[in-house]
Amino acid sequence: MNDFVFYSPTEFIFGKGVTDQVGEHIAKRGYKRALLVYGKGSVVRTGTLDRVKKSLAASGVEAVELAGVRPNPEVGLVREGIELARKENVDVIFPVGGGSAIDCAKAIAFGVPYEGDVWDFFSKKATIAECLPIACVLTIPAAGSEGSSSCVISNDELGLKRGTNSNLFRPKVAFLDPELTFTLPPYQTAAGVTDMIAHVCERYFSGTGSSSLTDNIATGIIRALIDEAPVALAEPENYEARANIMWAGTLAHNDIAGCGLSATPTSRAGGWESHALEHELSAFDASITHGAGLAGVMPAWMRFVWRENPARFLKFALQVFDIEPIDETDEAIEDAVTAAIDELQAFFVDLGMPRTLGEFGIAPEDVDKLLPTLKANKGEVFGGFKKLTLEDAKAIYLSAF
Amino acid sequence: MNDFVFYSPTEFIFGKGVTDQVGEHIAKRGYKRALLVYGKGSVVRTGTLDRVKKSLAASGVEAVELAGVRPNPEVGLVREGIELARKENVDVIFPVGGGSAIDCAKAIAFGVPYEGDVWDFFSKKATIAECLPIACVLTIPAAGSEGSSSCVISNDELGLKRGTNSNLFRPKVAFLDPELTFTLPPYQTAAGVTDMIAHVCERYFSGTGSSSLTDNIATGIIRALIDEAPVALAEPENYEARANIMWAGTLAHNDIAGCGLSATPTSRAGGWESHALEHELSAFDASITHGAGLAGVMPAWMRFVWRENPARFLKFALQVFDIEPIDETDEAIEDAVTAAIDELQAFFVDLGMPRTLGEFGIAPEDVDKLLPTLKANKGEVFGGFKKLTLEDAKAIYLSAF
């Protein structure tokens, strides 16, 4: 168990109808002027945005709006949001949506008090020292941004998608109303669940440290998702399934599943190899949903790296799928590990996720186009469980076709 | 999954040697004058208190001291601490110790800004509205007070032991250094682990709501404790075992193991029947360690109530001990549930905890002396999983001999 700092100060207000309670909570915290940040339509279409605005207005909280956040949010809109927040003198940034809206809001929140350009934080020219408070209504459980220290923003001009981390931008309060997710399309539900499982796996296979307690929690989250996701797909309005999935998305990424597995006490656990590989896919083709891309690359990554630490993969096989090797031979170990990876991939495919990258309409020849930006984002070598070169990355991508 | 609020804002700084880092963290938070609260000797004897004082001094934080907290801390010392904190104008209350020191510190922290007598909060005459900040160094993992919203104080004059709950007194920062627990005596280690398991069980058997995710986390905590406690007893300086136990103590009681199982969104999950029954034991005889008392009453409580919801106990049997009924007959169900309770009790006994209340040197005739204060503390009927009358309580106590 490596040294760690666990700090998840967000107040999570979870349940039926909490969307209509946002005003009282925001007012109680003393915020008077909120910048609402949202996407291109669904929160408007479903009436969620109106409910939030009505609740804020009823509690005397004024609202300014920034609409049009896209999937893989872009720094251009972040800059617009920063200008708007300054001009309107807001005191809280309030995204309504999924990870894209929340990440966009986070970048606005730490961009406002900074004199330079907000991209400086993503190019590591600057370190976040101040941040406006964030409150959010989550409508798409997946990214875990409602409780996480992560923020990922794309820069179209530079062709980059980069993340930054800080406890300063963990939301102060997050409203999680599972009923809002009843209308999520099956593909988005499945991609969200895949993303959650990836968030746990990136930490579980951090390559450093271990903890029987954290491992139980991590695999407990995955097993709950494996149980509940098919129910949510079969019965989109099954509250229990939707609620468990929603809360799992938060716990998959608020760092509770990584305690004791970090390389340094204040760093996030994990090498985040699958996320690095996936980010290049959705940067290359914005139509690739992050979770779906992860379903494409993560099993391939696992097959490429498991020999680095077979015992760790055997523990995963046992804890998640009750799979044990029939004896201690190398062959039996390989069979058990492969069976577990096969099961995980089959689960993703059963949910409607792709088995191969070809299903995204890209070809093996495209892989060479992913490597320059991978190099720009991650360097020549990256990863924690096993150090990966760009050649390794190419081999993983190609094995996923 | 019932509606809930999860709010655990404490920054947990966990690892080897964090005891020597307290000063910088306290100074960074802007605190200038700390009231150190500690017990009757072990933190002095082991040098832990000196390390804390040295670290605070090195960072320019002044320290005032309140020594002599006893197990089952008493309101008299709390009142002394309140006077001292006011006189010395401290800005942070800083317990160094286990649950007793931390609970005493919490009561001081919310007593200082209150004009009336601090017992008003325990007799429910007053509600906590303000509280000084709390930082703590944990030396005895058990009560979970380092991350919890609980505070339990005894009142010798009234012969009562009562708790109060508020998010306002959750510590701002908690330092968890597993090496400090290497010197814990086996009995105290075992009693601590028993208390942790009870904290999870009280929530698991809340009698309302359920969540596949929370259930996985709850039983994952218990399974880690079942794995690690025997290791810590056999090898007191086994860091991994000590570290997992220490972190389990926090997660057993910071409410992560109860999300979705509360009767109301802002109440703690569980009926806390075993704790209510145990509190009378250690109030009756202060030599009874809380965790040991729980080992005495909790299995008896389980045997008394399981028929109220056999499915819940079957899930517990499966998730914690891999025990399943051989068929669906009532007899097979009873066998499976009983086997799980037997296993849990045998685990406690193997750790060195008592199997029967007689081992505390009390007799069945003493049970009648427990009931008047139980009634004073909990009323005629209490509990969540099954409503218990005082007659039921008597039957449970007597079955534990």
Side-chain angles (χ1 to χ4, degrees), chain B residues 10 43 54 75 83 112 121 123 145 155 161 255 282 285 310 342 346 369-370 374 376 399:
Chain B
T10 308
V43 299
K54 201 172 152 191
V75 69
E83 288 310 308
V112 169
F121 296 112
S123 59
S145 194
N155 186 320
K161 181 174 173 180
D255 293 319
S282 49
D285 178 349
D342 287 348
K369 300 175 197 158
L370 306 176
L374 180 63
S399 75

Side-chain angles (χ1 to χ4, degrees), chain A residues 1 3-9 11-12 14-16 210-213 216-217 220 224 228 239-240 244 247-248 251, chain B residues 1 3-9 11-12 14-16 210-213 216-217 220 224 228 240 244 247-248 251:
Chain A
M1 202 162 183
D3 298 350
F4 66 90
V5 173
F6 177 69
Y7 181 53
S8 175
E11 182 175 15
F12 298 102
F14 190 105
K16 294 183 173 104
S210 69
S211 158
S212 57
L213 175 57
N216 285 355
I217 290 172
E228 302 290 357
Y239 183 83
E240 290 299 313
N244 277 291
W247 188 226
L251 298 187
Chain B
M1 201 161 184
D3 298 351
F4 65 90
V5 173
F6 177 70
Y7 180 54
S8 175
E11 181 174 14
F12 297 102
F14 190 105
K16 294 183 173 103
S210 68
S211 158
S212 58
L213 175 56
N216 285 354
I217 290 171
E228 303 290 357
E240 290 299 312
N244 277 291
W247 188 226
L251 298 187

Side-chain angles (χ1 to χ4, degrees), chain B residues 111-392:
Chain B
V112 169
Y114 178 64
E115 286 187 6
D117 178 58
V118 69
W119 190 254
D120 291 352
F121 296 112
F122 298 90
S123 59
K124 299 196 192 302
K125 271 191 211 156
T127 305
I128 297 165
E130 276 185 278
C131 189
L132 285 183
I134 296 157
C136 65
V137 166
L138 182 67
T139 62
I140 307 170
S145 194
E146 68 279 7
S148 80
S149 64
S150 297
C151 172
V152 179
I153 297 292
S154 294
N155 186 320
D156 288 354
E157 196 188 336
L158 303 179
L160 295 174
K161 181 174 173 180
R162 286 218 174 152
T164 185
N165 289 283
S166 169
N167 282 327
L168 289 173
F169 58 68
R170 291 190 193 251
K172 301 295 180 201
V173 55
F175 300 89
L176 285 73
D177 182 342
E179 289 181 336
L180 298 186
T181 70
F182 285 178
T183 53
L184 272 185
Y187 193 81
Q188 210 162 8
T189 299
V193 167
T194 305
D195 195 16
M196 295 171 196
I197 291 177
H199 289 161
V200 179
C201 286
E202 300 276 22
R203 292 177 169 88
Y204 191 92
F205 297 107
S206 75
T208 176
S210 68
S211 158
S212 58
L213 175 56
T214 298
D215 290 350
N216 285 354
I217 290 171
T219 53
I221 295 169
I222 296 176
R223 283 184 292 110
L225 286 167
I226 290 175
D227 289 343
E228 303 290 357
V231 179
L233 290 181
E235 307 164 33
E237 303 203 356
N238 184 307
Y239 183 84
E240 290 299 312
R242 291 294 195 182
N244 277 291
I245 291 170
M246 191 169 220
W247 188 226
T250 302
L251 298 187
H253 207 34
N254 84 332
D255 293 319
I256 192 79
C259 293
L261 281 71
S262 303
T264 68
T266 53
S267 66
R268 196 171 56 181
W272 294 82
E273 297 87 343
S274 296
H275 270 70
L277 294 167
E278 196 296 309
H279 281 175
E280 300 314 322
L281 286 177
S282 49
F284 175 73
D285 178 349
S287 75
I288 298 177
T289 303
H290 174 56
L294 286 166
V297 297
M298 198 167 68
W301 171 78
M302 288 178 162
R303 293 183 208 283
F304 191 86
V305 303
W306 72 266
R307 284 184 180 79
E308 196 71 12
N309 187 346
R312 190 71 183 151
F313 270 87
L314 283 178
K315 188 172 187 187
F316 181 81
L318 179 64
Q319 290 197 299
V320 177
F321 295 111
D322 294 318
I323 292 172
E324 285 184 279
I326 52 169
D327 57 42
E328 291 178 12
T329 61
D330 288 351
E331 198 187 344
I333 290 169
E334 177 164 1
D335 285 349
V337 170
T338 304
I341 300 171
D342 287 348
E343 283 249 23
L344 184 65
Q345 189 167 33
F347 170 75
F348 293 148
V349 172
D350 285 348
L351 293 185
M353 292 288 98
R355 181 181 291 278
T356 70
L357 299 186
E359 294 171 50
F360 294 120
I362 60 174
E365 297 77 56
D366 293 322
V367 167
D368 282 333
K369 300 175 197 158
L370 306 176
L371 301 179
T373 49
L374 180 63
K375 183 177 166 184
N377 280 324
K378 307 300 292 184
E380 292 276 359
V381 179
F382 67 102
F385 190 80
K386 177 185 167 78
K387 293 288 172 202
L388 300 177
T389 63
L390 295 173
E391 277 306 299
D392 293 335

Side-chain angles (χ1 to χ4, degrees), chain A residues 229-307:
Chain A
V231 179
L233 289 181
E235 306 164 33
E237 303 203 356
N238 184 306
Y239 183 83
E240 290 299 313
R242 291 295 194 182
N244 277 291
I245 291 170
M246 191 170 221
W247 188 226
T250 302
L251 298 187
H253 206 34
N254 84 332
D255 293 317
I256 192 77
C259 292
L261 282 71
S262 303
T264 67
T266 53
S267 66
R268 196 171 57 183
W272 294 81
E273 297 88 342
S274 296
H275 271 70
L277 294 167
E278 196 296 310
H279 281 174
E280 300 313 323
L281 286 177
S282 49
F284 176 73
D285 178 348
S287 75
I288 297 177
T289 303
H290 174 55
L294 286 166
V297 297
M298 195 166 71
W301 171 78
M302 288 177 162
R303 293 183 208 283
F304 191 86
V305 303
W306 73 264
R307 284 184 180 79

